[in-house]
PDB file of all heavy atoms in Angstrom:
ATOM      1  N   LEU Q  84       8.314   6.293   5.676  1.00 98.00           N
ATOM      2  CA  LEU Q  84       9.668   6.516   5.166  1.00 98.00           C
ATOM      3  C   LEU Q  84      10.362   7.689   5.835  1.00 98.00           C
ATOM      4  O   LEU Q  84      11.591   7.741   5.876  1.00 98.00           O
ATOM      5  CB  LEU Q  84       9.628   6.711   3.650  1.00 98.00           C
ATOM      6  CG  LEU Q  84       9.026   5.541   2.850  1.00 98.00           C
ATOM      7  CD1 LEU Q  84       9.324   5.705   1.370  1.00 98.00           C
ATOM      8  CD2 LEU Q  84       9.543   4.195   3.344  1.00 98.00           C
ATOM      9  N   GLY Q  85       9.608   8.619   6.366  1.00 96.00           N
ATOM     10  CA  GLY Q  85      10.225   9.741   7.068  1.00 96.00           C
ATOM     11  C   GLY Q  85      10.839   9.338   8.397  1.00 96.00           C
ATOM     12  O   GLY Q  85      11.706  10.031   8.925  1.00 96.00           O
ATOM     13  N   LYS Q  86      10.386   8.213   8.953  1.00 96.00           N
ATOM     14  CA  LYS Q  86      10.884   7.744  10.249  1.00 96.00           C
ATOM     15  C   LYS Q  86      11.766   6.503  10.113  1.00 96.00           C
ATOM     16  O   LYS Q  86      12.177   5.926  11.120  1.00 96.00           O
ATOM     17  CB  LYS Q  86       9.697   7.432  11.169  1.00 96.00           C
ATOM     18  CG  LYS Q  86       8.850   8.658  11.485  1.00 96.00           C
ATOM     19  CD  LYS Q  86       7.700   8.317  12.428  1.00 96.00           C
ATOM     20  CE  LYS Q  86       6.882   9.554  12.785  1.00 96.00           C
ATOM     21  NZ  LYS Q  86       5.753   9.239  13.679  1.00 96.00           N
ATOM     22  N   LEU Q  87      12.051   6.105   8.873  1.00 95.00           N
ATOM     23  CA  LEU Q  87      12.821   4.890   8.636  1.00 95.00           C
ATOM     24  C   LEU Q  87      14.276   5.086   9.041  1.00 95.00           C
ATOM     25  O   LEU Q  87      14.924   6.047   8.626  1.00 95.00           O
ATOM     26  CB  LEU Q  87      12.730   4.534   7.149  1.00 95.00           C
ATOM     27  CG  LEU Q  87      13.000   3.089   6.726  1.00 95.00           C
ATOM     28  CD1 LEU Q  87      11.983   2.142   7.345  1.00 95.00           C
ATOM     29  CD2 LEU Q  87      12.945   2.985   5.204  1.00 95.00           C
ATOM     30  N   LYS Q  88      14.790   4.187   9.861  1.00 95.00           N
ATOM     31  CA  LYS Q  88      16.195   4.240  10.250  1.00 95.00           C
ATOM     32  C   LYS Q  88      17.056   3.729   9.096  1.00 95.00           C
ATOM     33  O   LYS Q  88      16.626   2.918   8.282  1.00 95.00           O
ATOM     34  CB  LYS Q  88      16.436   3.411  11.513  1.00 95.00           C
ATOM     35  CG  LYS Q  88      15.764   3.986  12.748  1.00 95.00           C
ATOM     36  CD  LYS Q  88      16.072   3.134  13.963  1.00 95.00           C
ATOM     37  CE  LYS Q  88      15.590   3.817  15.247  1.00 95.00           C
ATOM     38  NZ  LYS Q  88      14.140   4.082  15.261  1.00 95.00           N
ATOM     39  N   GLN Q  89      18.297   4.200   9.048  1.00 94.00           N
ATOM     40  CA  GLN Q  89      19.201   3.851   7.958  1.00 94.00           C
ATOM     41  C   GLN Q  89      19.351   2.343   7.812  1.00 94.00           C
ATOM     42  O   GLN Q  89      19.361   1.804   6.705  1.00 94.00           O
ATOM     43  CB  GLN Q  89      20.569   4.507   8.197  1.00 94.00           C
ATOM     44  CG  GLN Q  89      21.438   4.612   6.949  1.00 94.00           C
ATOM     45  CD  GLN Q  89      20.904   5.582   5.918  1.00 94.00           C
ATOM     46  OE1 GLN Q  89      20.226   6.538   6.259  1.00 94.00           O
ATOM     47  NE2 GLN Q  89      21.193   5.322   4.647  1.00 94.00           N
ATOM     48  N   ARG Q  90      19.422   1.638   8.934  1.00 94.00           N
ATOM     49  CA  ARG Q  90      19.622   0.187   8.877  1.00 94.00           C
ATOM     50  C   ARG Q  90      18.391  -0.554   8.361  1.00 94.00           C
ATOM     51  O   ARG Q  90      18.490  -1.730   7.982  1.00 94.00           O
ATOM     52  CB  ARG Q  90      20.007  -0.340  10.259  1.00 94.00           C
ATOM     53  CG  ARG Q  90      18.912  -0.250  11.309  1.00 94.00           C
ATOM     54  CD  ARG Q  90      19.330  -0.897  12.621  1.00 94.00           C
ATOM     55  NE  ARG Q  90      18.257  -0.902  13.602  1.00 94.00           N
ATOM     56  CZ  ARG Q  90      17.991   0.083  14.442  1.00 94.00           C
ATOM     57  NH1 ARG Q  90      18.756   1.170  14.417  1.00 94.00           N
ATOM     58  NH2 ARG Q  90      16.992  -0.002  15.300  1.00 94.00           N
ATOM     59  N   GLN Q  91      17.241   0.115   8.346  1.00 95.00           N
ATOM     60  CA  GLN Q  91      16.016  -0.520   7.868  1.00 95.00           C
ATOM     61  C   GLN Q  91      15.808  -0.365   6.364  1.00 95.00           C
ATOM     62  O   GLN Q  91      14.960  -1.055   5.783  1.00 95.00           O
ATOM     63  CB  GLN Q  91      14.801   0.088   8.595  1.00 95.00           C
ATOM     64  CG  GLN Q  91      14.757  -0.167  10.088  1.00 95.00           C
ATOM     65  CD  GLN Q  91      13.612   0.580  10.739  1.00 95.00           C
ATOM     66  OE1 GLN Q  91      13.512   1.806  10.654  1.00 95.00           O
ATOM     67  NE2 GLN Q  91      12.713  -0.165  11.385  1.00 95.00           N
ATOM     68  N   ILE Q  92      16.561   0.540   5.743  1.00 94.00           N
ATOM     69  CA  ILE Q  92      16.332   0.845   4.326  1.00 94.00           C
ATOM     70  C   ILE Q  92      16.520  -0.371   3.424  1.00 94.00           C
ATOM     71  O   ILE Q  92      15.679  -0.624   2.548  1.00 94.00           O
ATOM     72  CB  ILE Q  92      17.212   2.026   3.881  1.00 94.00           C
ATOM     73  CG1 ILE Q  92      16.764   3.309   4.606  1.00 94.00           C
ATOM     74  CG2 ILE Q  92      17.137   2.224   2.364  1.00 94.00           C
ATOM     75  CD1 ILE Q  92      17.633   4.519   4.320  1.00 94.00           C
ATOM     76  N   PRO Q  93      17.602  -1.180   3.586  1.00 90.00           N
ATOM     77  CA  PRO Q  93      17.737  -2.345   2.696  1.00 90.00           C
ATOM     78  C   PRO Q  93      16.554  -3.302   2.791  1.00 90.00           C
ATOM     79  O   PRO Q  93      16.067  -3.806   1.762  1.00 90.00           O
ATOM     80  CB  PRO Q  93      19.036  -3.007   3.181  1.00 90.00           C
ATOM     81  CG  PRO Q  93      19.811  -1.893   3.796  1.00 90.00           C
ATOM     82  CD  PRO Q  93      18.793  -1.022   4.451  1.00 90.00           C
ATOM     83  N   LYS Q  94      16.062  -3.550   4.000  1.00 92.00           N
ATOM     84  CA  LYS Q  94      14.907  -4.442   4.160  1.00 92.00           C
ATOM     85  C   LYS Q  94      13.680  -3.848   3.486  1.00 92.00           C
ATOM     86  O   LYS Q  94      12.915  -4.564   2.819  1.00 92.00           O
ATOM     87  CB  LYS Q  94      14.629  -4.683   5.646  1.00 92.00           C
ATOM     88  CG  LYS Q  94      13.470  -5.644   5.886  1.00 92.00           C
ATOM     89  CD  LYS Q  94      13.229  -5.867   7.376  1.00 92.00           C
ATOM     90  CE  LYS Q  94      12.043  -6.805   7.599  1.00 92.00           C
ATOM     91  NZ  LYS Q  94      11.771  -7.005   9.055  1.00 92.00           N
ATOM     92  N   PHE Q  95      13.482  -2.552   3.655  1.00 95.00           N
ATOM     93  CA  PHE Q  95      12.354  -1.896   3.001  1.00 95.00           C
ATOM     94  C   PHE Q  95      12.438  -2.047   1.491  1.00 95.00           C
ATOM     95  O   PHE Q  95      11.448  -2.402   0.828  1.00 95.00           O
ATOM     96  CB  PHE Q  95      12.312  -0.411   3.377  1.00 95.00           C
ATOM     97  CG  PHE Q  95      11.551   0.433   2.398  1.00 95.00           C
ATOM     98  CD1 PHE Q  95      10.169   0.301   2.280  1.00 95.00           C
ATOM     99  CD2 PHE Q  95      12.211   1.332   1.567  1.00 95.00           C
ATOM    100  CE1 PHE Q  95       9.458   1.060   1.352  1.00 95.00           C
ATOM    101  CE2 PHE Q  95      11.505   2.086   0.648  1.00 95.00           C
ATOM    102  CZ  PHE Q  95      10.132   1.944   0.536  1.00 95.00           C
ATOM    103  N   ARG Q  96      13.599  -1.788   0.916  1.00 93.00           N
ATOM    104  CA  ARG Q  96      13.734  -1.828  -0.545  1.00 93.00           C
ATOM    105  C   ARG Q  96      13.558  -3.237  -1.102  1.00 93.00           C
ATOM    106  O   ARG Q  96      13.169  -3.396  -2.261  1.00 93.00           O
ATOM    107  CB  ARG Q  96      15.083  -1.225  -0.960  1.00 93.00           C
ATOM    108  CG  ARG Q  96      15.099   0.290  -0.778  1.00 93.00           C
ATOM    109  CD  ARG Q  96      16.369   0.913  -1.250  1.00 93.00           C
ATOM    110  NE  ARG Q  96      16.310   2.377  -1.125  1.00 93.00           N
ATOM    111  CZ  ARG Q  96      17.367   3.158  -1.002  1.00 93.00           C
ATOM    112  NH1 ARG Q  96      18.590   2.626  -0.994  1.00 93.00           N
ATOM    113  NH2 ARG Q  96      17.225   4.464  -0.907  1.00 93.00           N
ATOM    114  N   ARG Q  97      13.822  -4.237  -0.277  1.00 91.00           N
ATOM    115  CA  ARG Q  97      13.583  -5.613  -0.743  1.00 91.00           C
ATOM    116  C   ARG Q  97      12.097  -5.922  -0.862  1.00 91.00           C
ATOM    117  O   ARG Q  97      11.721  -6.929  -1.476  1.00 91.00           O
ATOM    118  CB  ARG Q  97      14.264  -6.618   0.197  1.00 91.00           C
ATOM    119  CG  ARG Q  97      15.778  -6.671   0.047  1.00 91.00           C
ATOM    120  CD  ARG Q  97      16.365  -7.919   0.669  1.00 91.00           C
ATOM    121  NE  ARG Q  97      16.242  -7.962   2.108  1.00 91.00           N
ATOM    122  CZ  ARG Q  97      17.140  -7.470   2.950  1.00 91.00           C
ATOM    123  NH1 ARG Q  97      18.225  -6.863   2.490  1.00 91.00           N
ATOM    124  NH2 ARG Q  97      16.969  -7.566   4.252  1.00 91.00           N
ATOM    125  N   SER Q  98      11.249  -5.066  -0.299  1.00 94.00           N
ATOM    126  CA  SER Q  98       9.808  -5.285  -0.405  1.00 94.00           C
ATOM    127  C   SER Q  98       9.229  -4.677  -1.684  1.00 94.00           C
ATOM    128  O   SER Q  98       8.021  -4.726  -1.905  1.00 94.00           O
ATOM    129  CB  SER Q  98       9.085  -4.685   0.821  1.00 94.00           C
ATOM    130  OG  SER Q  98       9.054  -3.257   0.765  1.00 94.00           O
ATOM    131  N   ILE Q  99      10.102  -4.110  -2.517  1.00 96.00           N
ATOM    132  CA  ILE Q  99       9.675  -3.470  -3.758  1.00 96.00           C
ATOM    133  C   ILE Q  99      10.486  -4.027  -4.921  1.00 96.00           C
ATOM    134  O   ILE Q  99      11.710  -4.160  -4.838  1.00 96.00           O
ATOM    135  CB  ILE Q  99       9.889  -1.945  -3.704  1.00 96.00           C
ATOM    136  CG1 ILE Q  99       9.173  -1.323  -2.512  1.00 96.00           C
ATOM    137  CG2 ILE Q  99       9.413  -1.273  -4.996  1.00 96.00           C
ATOM    138  CD1 ILE Q  99       9.484   0.140  -2.327  1.00 96.00           C
ATOM    139  N   GLY Q 100       9.797  -4.350  -6.013  1.00 95.00           N
ATOM    140  CA  GLY Q 100      10.482  -4.657  -7.263  1.00 95.00           C
ATOM    141  C   GLY Q 100      10.455  -3.411  -8.126  1.00 95.00           C
ATOM    142  O   GLY Q 100       9.439  -2.731  -8.215  1.00 95.00           O
ATOM    143  N   VAL Q 101      11.593  -3.095  -8.750  1.00 95.00           N
ATOM    144  CA  VAL Q 101      11.671  -1.877  -9.560  1.00 95.00           C
ATOM    145  C   VAL Q 101      12.106  -2.230 -10.980  1.00 95.00           C
ATOM    146  O   VAL Q 101      13.054  -2.998 -11.177  1.00 95.00           O
ATOM    147  CB  VAL Q 101      12.657  -0.859  -8.958  1.00 95.00           C
ATOM    148  CG1 VAL Q 101      12.605   0.458  -9.736  1.00 95.00           C
ATOM    149  CG2 VAL Q 101      12.360  -0.606  -7.487  1.00 95.00           C
ATOM    150  N   VAL Q 102      11.395  -1.674 -11.953  1.00 94.00           N
ATOM    151  CA  VAL Q 102      11.740  -1.840 -13.362  1.00 94.00           C
ATOM    152  C   VAL Q 102      12.079  -0.458 -13.908  1.00 94.00           C
ATOM    153  O   VAL Q 102      11.254   0.458 -13.841  1.00 94.00           O
ATOM    154  CB  VAL Q 102      10.574  -2.447 -14.166  1.00 94.00           C
ATOM    155  CG1 VAL Q 102      10.997  -2.676 -15.620  1.00 94.00           C
ATOM    156  CG2 VAL Q 102      10.123  -3.759 -13.535  1.00 94.00           C
ATOM    157  N   PHE Q 103      13.308  -0.311 -14.444  1.00 89.00           N
ATOM    158  CA  PHE Q 103      13.772   0.987 -14.906  1.00 89.00           C
ATOM    159  C   PHE Q 103      13.684   1.096 -16.427  1.00 89.00           C
ATOM    160  O   PHE Q 103      13.685   0.101 -17.146  1.00 89.00           O
ATOM    161  CB  PHE Q 103      15.227   1.218 -14.474  1.00 89.00           C
ATOM    162  CG  PHE Q 103      15.426   1.248 -12.988  1.00 89.00           C
ATOM    163  CD1 PHE Q 103      15.892   0.128 -12.315  1.00 89.00           C
ATOM    164  CD2 PHE Q 103      15.148   2.389 -12.251  1.00 89.00           C
ATOM    165  CE1 PHE Q 103      16.087   0.146 -10.938  1.00 89.00           C
ATOM    166  CE2 PHE Q 103      15.341   2.418 -10.869  1.00 89.00           C
ATOM    167  CZ  PHE Q 103      15.810   1.291 -10.216  1.00 89.00           C
ATOM    168  N   GLN Q 104      13.668   2.330 -16.899  1.00 87.00           N
ATOM    169  CA  GLN Q 104      13.618   2.578 -18.333  1.00 87.00           C
ATOM    170  C   GLN Q 104      14.853   2.026 -19.041  1.00 87.00           C
ATOM    171  O   GLN Q 104      14.761   1.499 -20.152  1.00 87.00           O
ATOM    172  CB  GLN Q 104      13.510   4.089 -18.590  1.00 87.00           C
ATOM    173  CG  GLN Q 104      13.524   4.485 -20.055  1.00 87.00           C
ATOM    174  CD  GLN Q 104      13.335   5.980 -20.240  1.00 87.00           C
ATOM    175  OE1 GLN Q 104      12.931   6.685 -19.326  1.00 87.00           O
ATOM    176  NE2 GLN Q 104      13.610   6.471 -21.431  1.00 87.00           N
ATOM    177  N   ASP Q 105      16.019   2.140 -18.401  1.00 89.00           N
ATOM    178  CA  ASP Q 105      17.269   1.754 -19.053  1.00 89.00           C
ATOM    179  C   ASP Q 105      17.728   0.346 -18.673  1.00 89.00           C
ATOM    180  O   ASP Q 105      18.909   0.016 -18.793  1.00 89.00           O
ATOM    181  CB  ASP Q 105      18.366   2.783 -18.754  1.00 89.00           C
ATOM    182  CG  ASP Q 105      18.573   2.990 -17.257  1.00 89.00           C
ATOM    183  OD1 ASP Q 105      17.832   2.382 -16.457  1.00 89.00           O
ATOM    184  OD2 ASP Q 105      19.469   3.769 -16.877  1.00 89.00           O
ATOM    185  N   PHE Q 106      16.806  -0.490 -18.218  1.00 91.00           N
ATOM    186  CA  PHE Q 106      17.006  -1.916 -17.938  1.00 91.00           C
ATOM    187  C   PHE Q 106      17.924  -2.184 -16.741  1.00 91.00           C
ATOM    188  O   PHE Q 106      17.596  -2.964 -15.863  1.00 91.00           O
ATOM    189  CB  PHE Q 106      17.545  -2.678 -19.160  1.00 91.00           C
ATOM    190  CG  PHE Q 106      16.893  -2.346 -20.467  1.00 91.00           C
ATOM    191  CD1 PHE Q 106      17.643  -2.236 -21.630  1.00 91.00           C
ATOM    192  CD2 PHE Q 106      15.524  -2.120 -20.554  1.00 91.00           C
ATOM    193  CE1 PHE Q 106      17.059  -1.926 -22.840  1.00 91.00           C
ATOM    194  CE2 PHE Q 106      14.916  -1.813 -21.768  1.00 91.00           C
ATOM    195  CZ  PHE Q 106      15.691  -1.711 -22.906  1.00 91.00           C
ATOM    196  N   ARG Q 107      19.114  -1.578 -16.758  1.00 92.00           N
ATOM    197  CA  ARG Q 107      20.108  -1.742 -15.681  1.00 92.00           C
ATOM    198  C   ARG Q 107      20.483  -3.194 -15.459  1.00 92.00           C
ATOM    199  O   ARG Q 107      20.641  -3.658 -14.316  1.00 92.00           O
ATOM    200  CB  ARG Q 107      19.619  -1.086 -14.383  1.00 92.00           C
ATOM    201  CG  ARG Q 107      19.332   0.390 -14.543  1.00 92.00           C
ATOM    202  CD  ARG Q 107      19.219   1.122 -13.230  1.00 92.00           C
ATOM    203  NE  ARG Q 107      18.773   2.497 -13.451  1.00 92.00           N
ATOM    204  CZ  ARG Q 107      18.615   3.390 -12.501  1.00 92.00           C
ATOM    205  NH1 ARG Q 107      18.861   3.071 -11.250  1.00 92.00           N
ATOM    206  NH2 ARG Q 107      18.191   4.618 -12.786  1.00 92.00           N
ATOM    207  N   LEU Q 108      20.651  -3.917 -16.556  1.00 96.00           N
ATOM    208  CA  LEU Q 108      21.143  -5.285 -16.467  1.00 96.00           C
ATOM    209  C   LEU Q 108      22.664  -5.263 -16.377  1.00 96.00           C
ATOM    210  O   LEU Q 108      23.320  -4.331 -16.840  1.00 96.00           O
ATOM    211  CB  LEU Q 108      20.703  -6.092 -17.692  1.00 96.00           C
ATOM    212  CG  LEU Q 108      19.187  -6.182 -17.922  1.00 96.00           C
ATOM    213  CD1 LEU Q 108      18.904  -6.980 -19.187  1.00 96.00           C
ATOM    214  CD2 LEU Q 108      18.482  -6.799 -16.727  1.00 96.00           C
ATOM    215  N   ILE Q 109      23.225  -6.300 -15.770  1.00 96.00           N
ATOM    216  CA  ILE Q 109      24.683  -6.404 -15.636  1.00 96.00           C
ATOM    217  C   ILE Q 109      25.219  -7.079 -16.894  1.00 96.00           C
ATOM    218  O   ILE Q 109      24.877  -8.238 -17.179  1.00 96.00           O
ATOM    219  CB  ILE Q 109      25.049  -7.208 -14.377  1.00 96.00           C
ATOM    220  CG1 ILE Q 109      24.443  -6.511 -13.143  1.00 96.00           C
ATOM    221  CG2 ILE Q 109      26.567  -7.321 -14.232  1.00 96.00           C
ATOM    222  CD1 ILE Q 109      24.534  -7.320 -11.869  1.00 96.00           C
ATOM    223  N   PRO Q 110      26.014  -6.371 -17.708  1.00 96.00           N
ATOM    224  CA  PRO Q 110      26.360  -6.858 -19.048  1.00 96.00           C
ATOM    225  C   PRO Q 110      27.158  -8.161 -19.082  1.00 96.00           C
ATOM    226  O   PRO Q 110      27.049  -8.921 -20.040  1.00 96.00           O
ATOM    227  CB  PRO Q 110      27.161  -5.702 -19.661  1.00 96.00           C
ATOM    228  CG  PRO Q 110      27.603  -4.866 -18.514  1.00 96.00           C
ATOM    229  CD  PRO Q 110      26.573  -5.026 -17.449  1.00 96.00           C
ATOM    230  N   ASP Q 111      27.985  -8.416 -18.055  1.00 97.00           N
ATOM    231  CA  ASP Q 111      28.792  -9.632 -18.098  1.00 97.00           C
ATOM    232  C   ASP Q 111      28.136 -10.796 -17.357  1.00 97.00           C
ATOM    233  O   ASP Q 111      28.789 -11.788 -17.043  1.00 97.00           O
ATOM    234  CB  ASP Q 111      30.197  -9.369 -17.540  1.00 97.00           C
ATOM    235  CG  ASP Q 111      30.182  -8.857 -16.101  1.00 97.00           C
ATOM    236  OD1 ASP Q 111      29.078  -8.574 -15.577  1.00 97.00           O
ATOM    237  OD2 ASP Q 111      31.268  -8.745 -15.502  1.00 97.00           O
ATOM    238  N   MET Q 112      26.842 -10.679 -17.082  1.00 97.00           N
ATOM    239  CA  MET Q 112      26.055 -11.768 -16.503  1.00 97.00           C
ATOM    240  C   MET Q 112      25.014 -12.240 -17.505  1.00 97.00           C
ATOM    241  O   MET Q 112      24.455 -11.434 -18.252  1.00 97.00           O
ATOM    242  CB  MET Q 112      25.338 -11.322 -15.223  1.00 97.00           C
ATOM    243  CG  MET Q 112      26.208 -11.201 -13.999  1.00 97.00           C
ATOM    244  SD  MET Q 112      25.169 -10.900 -12.535  1.00 97.00           S
ATOM    245  CE  MET Q 112      26.430 -10.815 -11.259  1.00 97.00           C
ATOM    246  N   THR Q 113      24.756 -13.531 -17.509  1.00 98.00           N
ATOM    247  CA  THR Q 113      23.713 -14.065 -18.370  1.00 98.00           C
ATOM    248  C   THR Q 113      22.337 -13.612 -17.881  1.00 98.00           C
ATOM    249  O   THR Q 113      22.199 -13.071 -16.781  1.00 98.00           O
ATOM    250  CB  THR Q 113      23.745 -15.599 -18.383  1.00 98.00           C
ATOM    251  OG1 THR Q 113      23.463 -16.071 -17.054  1.00 98.00           O
ATOM    252  CG2 THR Q 113      25.091 -16.129 -18.849  1.00 98.00           C
ATOM    253  N   VAL Q 114      21.334 -13.875 -18.712  1.00 98.00           N
ATOM    254  CA  VAL Q 114      19.957 -13.590 -18.313  1.00 98.00           C
ATOM    255  C   VAL Q 114      19.646 -14.295 -16.999  1.00 98.00           C
ATOM    256  O   VAL Q 114      19.085 -13.692 -16.071  1.00 98.00           O
ATOM    257  CB  VAL Q 114      18.983 -14.041 -19.428  1.00 98.00           C
ATOM    258  CG1 VAL Q 114      17.547 -14.091 -18.915  1.00 98.00           C
ATOM    259  CG2 VAL Q 114      19.101 -13.108 -20.636  1.00 98.00           C
ATOM    260  N   TYR Q 115      20.012 -15.571 -16.901  1.00 98.00           N
ATOM    261  CA  TYR Q 115      19.753 -16.334 -15.674  1.00 98.00           C
ATOM    262  C   TYR Q 115      20.404 -15.653 -14.474  1.00 98.00           C
ATOM    263  O   TYR Q 115      19.769 -15.457 -13.427  1.00 98.00           O
ATOM    264  CB  TYR Q 115      20.281 -17.760 -15.829  1.00 98.00           C
ATOM    265  CG  TYR Q 115      20.037 -18.649 -14.635  1.00 98.00           C
ATOM    266  CD1 TYR Q 115      18.970 -19.547 -14.617  1.00 98.00           C
ATOM    267  CD2 TYR Q 115      20.866 -18.601 -13.506  1.00 98.00           C
ATOM    268  CE1 TYR Q 115      18.735 -20.371 -13.526  1.00 98.00           C
ATOM    269  CE2 TYR Q 115      20.636 -19.405 -12.406  1.00 98.00           C
ATOM    270  CZ  TYR Q 115      19.572 -20.294 -12.426  1.00 98.00           C
ATOM    271  OH  TYR Q 115      19.338 -21.095 -11.327  1.00 98.00           O
ATOM    272  N   ASP Q 116      21.679 -15.293 -14.616  1.00 97.00           N
ATOM    273  CA  ASP Q 116      22.408 -14.738 -13.476  1.00 97.00           C
ATOM    274  C   ASP Q 116      21.941 -13.332 -13.127  1.00 97.00           C
ATOM    275  O   ASP Q 116      21.998 -12.930 -11.966  1.00 97.00           O
ATOM    276  CB  ASP Q 116      23.909 -14.758 -13.757  1.00 97.00           C
ATOM    277  CG  ASP Q 116      24.494 -16.160 -13.665  1.00 97.00           C
ATOM    278  OD1 ASP Q 116      23.957 -16.973 -12.889  1.00 97.00           O
ATOM    279  OD2 ASP Q 116      25.482 -16.444 -14.371  1.00 97.00           O
ATOM    280  N   ASN Q 117      21.489 -12.553 -14.119  1.00 97.00           N
ATOM    281  CA  ASN Q 117      20.922 -11.240 -13.814  1.00 97.00           C
ATOM    282  C   ASN Q 117      19.701 -11.363 -12.917  1.00 97.00           C
ATOM    283  O   ASN Q 117      19.532 -10.592 -11.974  1.00 97.00           O
ATOM    284  CB  ASN Q 117      20.555 -10.502 -15.107  1.00 97.00           C
ATOM    285  CG  ASN Q 117      21.627  -9.538 -15.561  1.00 97.00           C
ATOM    286  OD1 ASN Q 117      21.769  -8.445 -15.043  1.00 97.00           O
ATOM    287  ND2 ASN Q 117      22.401  -9.976 -16.549  1.00 97.00           N
ATOM    288  N   VAL Q 118      18.860 -12.347 -13.215  1.00 97.00           N
ATOM    289  CA  VAL Q 118      17.665 -12.553 -12.396  1.00 97.00           C
ATOM    290  C   VAL Q 118      18.046 -13.133 -11.033  1.00 97.00           C
ATOM    291  O   VAL Q 118      17.535 -12.711  -9.992  1.00 97.00           O
ATOM    292  CB  VAL Q 118      16.660 -13.459 -13.125  1.00 97.00           C
ATOM    293  CG1 VAL Q 118      15.450 -13.753 -12.244  1.00 97.00           C
ATOM    294  CG2 VAL Q 118      16.211 -12.799 -14.431  1.00 97.00           C
ATOM    295  N   ALA Q 119      18.967 -14.094 -11.046  1.00 97.00           N
ATOM    296  CA  ALA Q 119      19.394 -14.725  -9.795  1.00 97.00           C
ATOM    297  C   ALA Q 119      20.070 -13.735  -8.857  1.00 97.00           C
ATOM    298  O   ALA Q 119      20.012 -13.890  -7.625  1.00 97.00           O
ATOM    299  CB  ALA Q 119      20.346 -15.885 -10.098  1.00 97.00           C
ATOM    300  N   PHE Q 120      20.691 -12.704  -9.422  1.00 95.00           N
ATOM    301  CA  PHE Q 120      21.428 -11.735  -8.613  1.00 95.00           C
ATOM    302  C   PHE Q 120      20.531 -11.076  -7.568  1.00 95.00           C
ATOM    303  O   PHE Q 120      20.956 -10.821  -6.431  1.00 95.00           O
ATOM    304  CB  PHE Q 120      22.048 -10.667  -9.520  1.00 95.00           C
ATOM    305  CG  PHE Q 120      22.907  -9.675  -8.794  1.00 95.00           C
ATOM    306  CD1 PHE Q 120      24.162 -10.029  -8.335  1.00 95.00           C
ATOM    307  CD2 PHE Q 120      22.461  -8.379  -8.572  1.00 95.00           C
ATOM    308  CE1 PHE Q 120      24.955  -9.114  -7.658  1.00 95.00           C
ATOM    309  CE2 PHE Q 120      23.242  -7.460  -7.900  1.00 95.00           C
ATOM    310  CZ  PHE Q 120      24.494  -7.827  -7.438  1.00 95.00           C
TER     311      PHE Q 120
END
Side-chain angles (χ1 to χ4, degrees):
L84 301 193
K86 297 181 178 179
L87 202 62
K88 293 181 171 59
Q89 199 68 28
R90 67 175 184 273
Q91 295 174 302
I92 294 176
K94 182 180 179 182
F95 158 69
R96 288 183 177 155
R97 286 197 293 271
S98 73
I99 304 173
V101 186
V102 183
F103 298 99
Q104 177 177 345
D105 56 357
F106 316 140
R107 302 196 187 182
L108 301 179
I109 301 170
D111 59 353
M112 284 188 180
T113 63
V114 166
Y115 181 99
D116 286 330
N117 263 282
V118 176
F120 184 74

